[in-house]
């Protein structure tokens, strides 16, 4: 790391390639033996137990309402306070963890406050409220559209509004949770008749989710210009999908059981302030593309340069201690619609967003084949299988496969900001 970049006294937190330097400090909720659930700040391979930190009197520079909001088993009370509270807490965590600050480093109870990450289990950061899944990558929408509607891959509305659907939040699970292969109705030919059984075409979707911090009142839309003030941070999401179930059920009202059996969320919420060095303007619309309507334009309409890597490890690979195999590498900067536009569009009719709501991007895909963020695209409906390092072929996921989504931001002169992992193993169907 360059000497001009500030570092922490936490051992190993500045090592190259690490996800969690002093400049990141994502928040999450962890469960620890004997302590229950705690709000934590991740740094390097350690987690600061915020409640214990406060109990030791080390957060006294913060307002009482901020300290209290961080003392429970969920991040939601803190998320609801809004940006000035988020910034005040972030500044204080940064100060306490900086190399030149001894208050926590030299504290007699430091071992009770700063816990090794490997002894903790990552939970959902808060109860997920309403979950909306968008379809905001042009490459993804065009690829998938061209498979199902070769003559009209993009429907006439696509470039005018961020398409989305209301998803299911009860089945959102934290990273590390195994996912059971779902059963459902599928058809051998386009018109049926259907049969019921385990999906044969289980897929993942590489997505980035925005967690809503402060919401809006019913009937009070959020403008693009202030939309990001409502976003507490970004997380990774694997939107598991059963393609054969989806194909039969999605018309006329969109995905249903093909998507509602599980979605996996990463545990550490990366703040937009940590992502600031990686923010990029939304590119100008290409020649021939319509300009967004005025309510979908405004300052703050930005993307982030986030590399998204998807890896798969089969059961045989894990048994033989082989590393997981990279299946795709994409970038969130390839999105057509931004988070701010999603928030503005979602609320434009008066819909209220609430603390803990999740707005997911939809599958992130780019122009080159390696960047395609699901197996449906990556293997082009199974016509171009990929080979894993154990020699086995994949068109779609098999039982025992572990799917690992990772993400990070890198550029010269800035500390690397990572998201950690979003992982899950596929278990056989319960028939
Ligand atoms: Ca999706």
């Amino acid at each position: 790391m360059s000497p001009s970049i500030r570092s922490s006294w936490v051992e190993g937190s500045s090592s190259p390639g690490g996800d969690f330097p002093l400049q990141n400090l994502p928040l999450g909720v962890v469960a620890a033996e004997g302590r229950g659930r705690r709000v934590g700040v991740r740094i390097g391979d350690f987690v600061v137990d915020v409640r214990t930190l406060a109990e030791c009197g080390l957060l006294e520079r913060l307002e009482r309402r901020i300290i209290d909001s961080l003392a429970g088993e969920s991040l939601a009370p803190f998320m609801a306070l809004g940006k000035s509270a988020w910034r005040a807490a972030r500044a204080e965590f940064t100060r306490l963890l900086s190399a030149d600050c001894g208050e926590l480093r030299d504290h007699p109870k430091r071992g009770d406050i700063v816990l090794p990450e490997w002894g903790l289990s990552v939970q959902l950061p808060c109860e997920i409220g309403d979950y909306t899944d968008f379809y905001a990558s042009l490459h993804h929408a065009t690829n998938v559209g061209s498979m199902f509607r070769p003559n009209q891959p993009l429907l006439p509305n696509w470039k005018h509004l961020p398409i989305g659907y209301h998803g299911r939040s009860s089945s959102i699970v934290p990273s590390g949770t195994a996912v059971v292969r779902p059963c459902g109705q599928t058809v051998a030919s386009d018109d049926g008749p259907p049969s019921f059984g385990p999906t044969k075409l289980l897929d993942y979707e590489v997505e980035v989710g925005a967690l809503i911090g402060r919401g809006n009142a019913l009937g009070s839309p959020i403008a693009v210009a202030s939309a990001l003030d409502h976003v507490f941070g970004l997380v990774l999401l694997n939107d598991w999908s059963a393609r054969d179930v989806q194909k039969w059920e999605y018309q006329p009202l969109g995905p249903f059981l093909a998507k509602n059996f599980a979605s996996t969320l990463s545990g550490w919420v990366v703040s937009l302030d940590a992502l600031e060095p990686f923010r990029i303007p939304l590119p100008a619309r290409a020649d021939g593309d319509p300009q967004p309507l005025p309510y979908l334009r405004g300052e703050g309409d930005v993307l982030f340069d986030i590399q998204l890597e998807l890896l798969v490890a089969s059961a045989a690979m894990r048994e033989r201690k082989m590393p997981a195999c990279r299946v795709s590498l994409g970038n969130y900067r390839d999105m057509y619609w931004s988070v701010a536009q999603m928030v503005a569009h979602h609320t434009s009719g008066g819909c209220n967003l609430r603390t803990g709501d999740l707005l997911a991007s939809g599958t992130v895909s780019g122009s080159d084949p390696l960047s395609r963020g699901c197996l449906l695209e990556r293997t082009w409906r199974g016509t171009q299988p990929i080979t894993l390092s154990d020699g086995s072929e994949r068109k779609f996921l098999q039982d025992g496969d572990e799917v690992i989504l990772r993400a990070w931001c890198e550029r010269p002169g800035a500390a690397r900001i990572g998201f950690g992992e979003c992982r899950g193993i596929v278990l056989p169907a319960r028939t």
Side-chain angles (χ1 to χ4, degrees):
M1 191 174 286
S2 128
S4 62
I5 295 176
R6 215 169 155 197
S7 64
S8 165
W9 50 261
V10 174
E11 199 186 326
S13 61
S14 306
S15 42
D19 275 353
F20 305 110
L22 181 66
Q23 289 73 12
N24 193 349
L25 303 184
L27 296 176
V29 171
V30 290
E33 189 86 34
R35 308 182 183 224
R37 293 180 184 206
R38 297 293 173 96
V39 170
V41 180
R42 178 76 188 254
I43 178 154
D45 293 330
F46 295 87
V47 175
V48 177
D49 174 343
V50 178
R51 188 167 130 192
T52 308
L53 183 71
E55 285 167 355
C56 289
L58 288 167
L59 283 182
E60 294 305 310
R61 292 187 181 199
L62 289 178
E63 289 173 55
R64 177 51 53 187
R65 67 186 182 110
I66 298 177
I67 300 172
D68 291 347
S69 74
L70 289 162
E73 299 191 337
S74 162
L75 267 172
F78 177 67
M79 291 162 65
L81 292 183
K83 201 169 174 178
S84 63
W86 309 337
R87 285 200 162 150
R90 176 173 165 79
E92 189 57 2
F93 294 139
T94 302
R95 189 185 70 82
L96 286 167
L97 292 164
S98 292
D100 55 3
C101 177
E103 281 174 51
L104 173 55
R105 183 191 62 210
D106 305 330
H107 195 279
K109 287 202 170 167
R110 172 176 142 187
D112 204 28
I113 301 168
V114 184
L115 310 171
E117 172 272 329
W118 54 88
L120 307 167
S121 74
V122 169
Q123 313 289 307
L124 290 176
C126 59
E127 188 179 341
I128 304 300
D130 284 312
Y131 160 45
T132 304
D133 195 19
F134 284 90
Y135 188 57
S137 155
L138 177 62
H139 298 288
H140 173 67
T142 305
N143 286 339
V144 173
S146 69
M147 292 177 204
F148 294 103
R149 294 178 304 272
N151 298 325
Q152 191 183 30
L154 283 187
L155 293 173
N157 55 9
W158 200 91
K159 287 184 174 174
H160 293 279
L161 55 89
I163 297 287
Y165 69 98
H166 288 125
R168 183 84 194 160
S169 56
S170 63
S171 51
I172 295 177
V173 294
S175 179
T177 308
V179 169
V180 175
R181 177 180 296 270
C183 290
Q185 278 198 23
T186 59
V187 292
S189 74
D190 283 354
D191 302 328
S195 59
F196 186 84
T199 174
K200 294 187 179 73
L201 308 183
L202 183 62
D203 202 352
Y204 56 78
E205 290 188 338
V206 172
E207 304 200 19
V208 175
L211 269 179
I212 298 300
R214 210 164 41 80
N216 60 304
L218 189 63
S220 301
I222 298 171
V224 167
S226 57
L228 293 185
D229 293 346
H230 293 263
V231 175
F232 178 66
L234 302 186
V235 288
L236 306 178
L237 183 91
N238 175 358
D239 181 25
W240 302 88
S241 300
R243 299 299 182 196
D244 40 3
V245 178
Q246 185 178 355
K247 189 181 174 208
W248 173 235
E249 75 172 7
Y250 88 102
Q251 288 179 317
L253 278 182
F256 187 30
L257 272 64
K259 301 277 190 176
N260 73 0
F261 59 95
S263 306
T264 306
L265 207 65
S266 61
W268 298 104
V269 189
V270 178
S271 68
L272 299 189
D273 282 344
L275 293 169
E276 184 64 32
F278 306 96
R279 100 191 229 158
I280 44 175
L282 192 71
R285 292 294 186 232
D287 286 347
D289 278 7
Q291 288 305 317
L293 289 172
Y295 83 96
L296 287 172
R297 287 186 235 156
E299 259 181 69
D301 196 2
V302 295
L303 295 173
F304 296 93
D305 184 350
I306 305 170
Q307 303 257 29
L308 297 160
E309 182 185 38
L310 191 290
L311 307 101
V312 173
S314 66
M317 288 166 66
R318 290 197 306 282
E319 208 161 288
R320 287 151 65 182
K321 307 253 183 290
M322 298 169 78
C325 219
R326 175 185 281 180
V327 174
S328 74
L329 183 67
N331 197 305
Y332 186 65
R333 66 184 301 163
D334 288 331
M335 298 302 290
Y336 192 88
W337 296 103
S338 70
V339 169
Q341 287 172 322
M342 292 175 200
V343 168
H345 182 65
H346 204 306
T347 60
S348 62
C351 175
N352 52 332
L353 296 177
R354 295 181 294 192
T355 301
D357 284 359
L358 177 67
L359 272 51
S361 59
T363 307
V364 183
S365 294
S367 54
D368 76 290
L370 183 65
S371 70
R372 294 171 183 163
C374 63
L375 284 173
L376 178 68
E377 288 171 87
R378 191 71 186 83
T379 70
W380 210 257
R381 271 176 121 170
T383 59
Q384 299 163 21
I386 50 167
T387 305
L388 300 181
S389 42
D390 63 356
S392 62
E393 272 195 353
R394 286 295 176 280
K395 296 174 179 173
F396 290 91
L397 295 170
Q398 294 185 2
D399 292 346
D401 284 352
E402 183 167 28
V403 177
I404 305 157
L405 172 55
R406 292 183 186 145
W408 63 89
C409 310
E410 277 178 335
R411 74 166 174 76
R416 183 183 194 271
I417 300 293
F419 283 71
E421 289 182 342
C422 175
R423 64 164 73 211
I425 293 179
V426 177
L427 299 181
R430 292 183 188 137
T431 48

